Each structure stands twice: as structure tokens, then as C-alpha cells.
Short mmCIF file of all heavy atoms in Angstrom, two decimals:
data_model
loop_
_atom_site.label_atom_id
_atom_site.label_comp_id
_atom_site.label_asym_id
_atom_site.label_seq_id
_atom_site.Cartn_x
_atom_site.Cartn_y
_atom_site.Cartn_z
N PRO A 96 169.27 -160.57 64.17
CA PRO A 96 169.25 -161.98 63.77
C PRO A 96 167.84 -162.56 63.55
O PRO A 96 167.59 -163.25 62.57
CB PRO A 96 169.96 -162.69 64.92
CG PRO A 96 170.85 -161.64 65.50
CD PRO A 96 170.08 -160.36 65.37
N GLY A 97 166.93 -162.31 64.49
CA GLY A 97 165.59 -162.89 64.37
C GLY A 97 164.55 -162.02 65.05
O GLY A 97 164.87 -160.97 65.63
N SER A 98 163.30 -162.45 64.99
CA SER A 98 162.20 -161.67 65.57
C SER A 98 162.32 -161.52 67.08
O SER A 98 161.87 -160.51 67.64
CB SER A 98 160.86 -162.31 65.21
OG SER A 98 160.65 -162.21 63.82
N PHE A 99 162.93 -162.48 67.74
CA PHE A 99 163.12 -162.40 69.19
C PHE A 99 163.97 -161.19 69.57
O PHE A 99 163.78 -160.59 70.63
CB PHE A 99 163.78 -163.70 69.69
CG PHE A 99 163.84 -163.82 71.17
CD1 PHE A 99 162.77 -164.32 71.89
CD2 PHE A 99 164.99 -163.44 71.87
CE1 PHE A 99 162.82 -164.44 73.27
CE2 PHE A 99 165.04 -163.56 73.25
CZ PHE A 99 163.95 -164.06 73.95
N GLU A 100 164.88 -160.79 68.70
CA GLU A 100 165.79 -159.68 68.98
C GLU A 100 165.22 -158.31 68.59
O GLU A 100 165.84 -157.28 68.87
CB GLU A 100 167.12 -159.90 68.25
CG GLU A 100 167.94 -161.06 68.80
CD GLU A 100 167.46 -162.43 68.34
OE1 GLU A 100 166.85 -162.54 67.26
OE2 GLU A 100 167.72 -163.42 69.08
N LEU A 101 164.08 -158.27 67.95
CA LEU A 101 163.50 -156.99 67.53
C LEU A 101 163.26 -156.02 68.69
O LEU A 101 163.57 -154.84 68.57
CB LEU A 101 162.19 -157.23 66.77
CG LEU A 101 162.34 -157.81 65.37
CD1 LEU A 101 160.97 -158.26 64.84
CD2 LEU A 101 162.97 -156.81 64.43
N PRO A 102 162.69 -156.47 69.83
CA PRO A 102 162.38 -155.50 70.89
C PRO A 102 163.59 -154.74 71.43
O PRO A 102 163.49 -153.53 71.66
CB PRO A 102 161.74 -156.36 71.99
CG PRO A 102 161.14 -157.51 71.26
CD PRO A 102 162.12 -157.79 70.14
N VAL A 103 164.71 -155.38 71.61
CA VAL A 103 165.86 -154.67 72.18
C VAL A 103 166.38 -153.62 71.20
O VAL A 103 166.73 -152.50 71.60
CB VAL A 103 166.98 -155.64 72.65
CG1 VAL A 103 167.68 -156.30 71.50
CG2 VAL A 103 167.97 -154.90 73.53
N ALA A 104 166.41 -153.95 69.91
CA ALA A 104 166.85 -152.96 68.92
C ALA A 104 165.83 -151.83 68.83
O ALA A 104 166.21 -150.65 68.77
CB ALA A 104 167.03 -153.64 67.56
N ALA A 105 164.55 -152.17 68.84
CA ALA A 105 163.51 -151.15 68.76
C ALA A 105 163.57 -150.21 69.95
O ALA A 105 163.43 -148.99 69.80
CB ALA A 105 162.13 -151.80 68.67
N LYS A 106 163.78 -150.75 71.14
CA LYS A 106 163.84 -149.92 72.33
C LYS A 106 165.04 -148.98 72.28
O LYS A 106 164.93 -147.80 72.63
CB LYS A 106 163.89 -150.77 73.59
CG LYS A 106 163.79 -149.93 74.86
CD LYS A 106 163.63 -150.78 76.10
CE LYS A 106 163.44 -149.90 77.31
NZ LYS A 106 163.26 -150.72 78.53
N THR A 107 166.17 -149.49 71.84
CA THR A 107 167.37 -148.66 71.73
C THR A 107 167.14 -147.53 70.73
O THR A 107 167.50 -146.37 70.99
CB THR A 107 168.58 -149.52 71.33
OG1 THR A 107 168.74 -150.57 72.29
CG2 THR A 107 169.85 -148.69 71.26
N LEU A 108 166.54 -147.84 69.59
CA LEU A 108 166.23 -146.82 68.59
C LEU A 108 165.25 -145.79 69.14
O LEU A 108 165.44 -144.59 68.99
CB LEU A 108 165.68 -147.48 67.33
CG LEU A 108 166.69 -148.27 66.51
CD1 LEU A 108 165.98 -149.23 65.56
CD2 LEU A 108 167.62 -147.34 65.76
N ALA A 109 164.20 -146.26 69.79
CA ALA A 109 163.18 -145.35 70.33
C ALA A 109 163.77 -144.44 71.41
O ALA A 109 163.48 -143.24 71.44
CB ALA A 109 162.00 -146.14 70.88
N GLN A 110 164.59 -144.99 72.28
CA GLN A 110 165.17 -144.20 73.37
C GLN A 110 166.23 -143.22 72.89
O GLN A 110 166.58 -142.30 73.61
CB GLN A 110 165.78 -145.13 74.42
CG GLN A 110 164.76 -145.85 75.25
CD GLN A 110 165.38 -146.80 76.26
OE1 GLN A 110 166.44 -147.38 76.03
NE2 GLN A 110 164.70 -146.97 77.38
N SER A 111 166.72 -143.39 71.68
CA SER A 111 167.77 -142.50 71.18
C SER A 111 167.27 -141.07 70.99
O SER A 111 168.07 -140.14 70.92
CB SER A 111 168.31 -143.03 69.84
OG SER A 111 167.37 -142.78 68.79
N GLY A 112 165.96 -140.90 70.87
CA GLY A 112 165.40 -139.57 70.65
C GLY A 112 165.53 -139.11 69.21
O GLY A 112 165.16 -137.98 68.88
N GLN A 113 166.02 -139.96 68.34
CA GLN A 113 166.24 -139.58 66.94
C GLN A 113 165.06 -139.90 66.03
O GLN A 113 165.06 -139.45 64.88
CB GLN A 113 167.48 -140.31 66.41
CG GLN A 113 168.76 -139.93 67.09
CD GLN A 113 169.92 -140.73 66.52
OE1 GLN A 113 170.13 -140.75 65.32
NE2 GLN A 113 170.66 -141.39 67.39
N TYR A 114 164.08 -140.67 66.51
CA TYR A 114 163.02 -141.17 65.62
C TYR A 114 161.63 -140.85 66.15
O TYR A 114 161.38 -140.91 67.35
CB TYR A 114 163.19 -142.68 65.40
CG TYR A 114 164.57 -142.98 64.86
CD1 TYR A 114 165.56 -143.50 65.68
CD2 TYR A 114 164.88 -142.67 63.54
CE1 TYR A 114 166.84 -143.71 65.20
CE2 TYR A 114 166.16 -142.89 63.05
CZ TYR A 114 167.14 -143.41 63.88
OH TYR A 114 168.41 -143.61 63.41
N ASP A 115 160.74 -140.56 65.22
CA ASP A 115 159.35 -140.30 65.54
C ASP A 115 158.53 -141.58 65.58
O ASP A 115 157.44 -141.60 66.15
CB ASP A 115 158.73 -139.35 64.50
CG ASP A 115 159.47 -138.02 64.47
OD1 ASP A 115 159.44 -137.33 65.51
OD2 ASP A 115 160.05 -137.67 63.43
N ALA A 116 159.04 -142.64 64.99
CA ALA A 116 158.38 -143.94 64.99
C ALA A 116 159.41 -145.02 64.69
O ALA A 116 160.45 -144.75 64.07
CB ALA A 116 157.27 -143.99 63.94
N VAL A 117 159.10 -146.23 65.14
CA VAL A 117 159.95 -147.39 64.88
C VAL A 117 159.05 -148.48 64.32
O VAL A 117 157.98 -148.75 64.88
CB VAL A 117 160.67 -147.89 66.16
CG1 VAL A 117 161.49 -149.13 65.86
CG2 VAL A 117 161.54 -146.79 66.76
N ILE A 118 159.49 -149.09 63.25
CA ILE A 118 158.76 -150.20 62.62
C ILE A 118 159.57 -151.47 62.83
O ILE A 118 160.76 -151.52 62.49
CB ILE A 118 158.56 -149.94 61.11
CG1 ILE A 118 157.75 -148.66 60.89
CG2 ILE A 118 157.88 -151.14 60.45
CD1 ILE A 118 157.72 -148.20 59.45
N CYS A 119 158.92 -152.51 63.35
CA CYS A 119 159.58 -153.80 63.58
C CYS A 119 159.01 -154.83 62.60
O CYS A 119 157.79 -155.02 62.53
CB CYS A 119 159.33 -154.29 65.00
SG CYS A 119 159.99 -153.20 66.27
N LEU A 120 159.90 -155.48 61.86
CA LEU A 120 159.48 -156.43 60.83
C LEU A 120 160.14 -157.78 61.04
O LEU A 120 161.34 -157.86 61.31
CB LEU A 120 159.86 -155.90 59.45
CG LEU A 120 159.34 -154.51 59.09
CD1 LEU A 120 159.96 -154.03 57.78
CD2 LEU A 120 157.82 -154.53 59.02
N GLY A 121 159.35 -158.83 60.89
CA GLY A 121 159.88 -160.18 61.01
C GLY A 121 158.92 -161.18 60.42
O GLY A 121 157.81 -160.84 60.00
N ALA A 122 159.35 -162.44 60.41
CA ALA A 122 158.51 -163.52 59.91
C ALA A 122 158.79 -164.77 60.73
O ALA A 122 159.92 -165.26 60.75
CB ALA A 122 158.77 -163.77 58.43
N VAL A 123 157.76 -165.24 61.42
CA VAL A 123 157.87 -166.46 62.20
C VAL A 123 156.89 -167.45 61.58
O VAL A 123 155.69 -167.19 61.53
CB VAL A 123 157.54 -166.22 63.69
CG1 VAL A 123 157.79 -167.49 64.50
CG2 VAL A 123 158.36 -165.06 64.25
N ILE A 124 157.43 -168.55 61.09
CA ILE A 124 156.62 -169.55 60.39
C ILE A 124 156.58 -170.80 61.27
O ILE A 124 157.62 -171.30 61.69
CB ILE A 124 157.21 -169.83 59.00
CG1 ILE A 124 157.23 -168.53 58.19
CG2 ILE A 124 156.40 -170.91 58.29
CD1 ILE A 124 158.01 -168.60 56.90
#
């Protein structure tokens, strides 16, 4: 939904062991 939610998704992706890197993108104005 927003930039505040990026860390939890990124952590889940990183911990999955499936990815060599995770990129988090957002825009807070």
C-alpha cells in the first residue's frame, strides 16, 4: 500500500532465501 509497508515485505522476501537482493521503491512527498 505505501512506503511504511515496504520493510515487512522486504524482510519476508529476503528471509525466503529466494533472492540475492531486494529493492524497495516508494515516494513520500
Side-chain angles (χ1 to χ4, degrees):
S98 293
F99 188 85
E100 292 78 26
L101 288 168
V103 70
K106 186 172 184 179
T107 303
L108 289 162
Q110 287 178 328
S111 75
Q113 296 179 53
Y114 304 103
D115 299 298
V117 177
I118 299 170
C119 298
L120 304 172
V123 186
I124 301 169

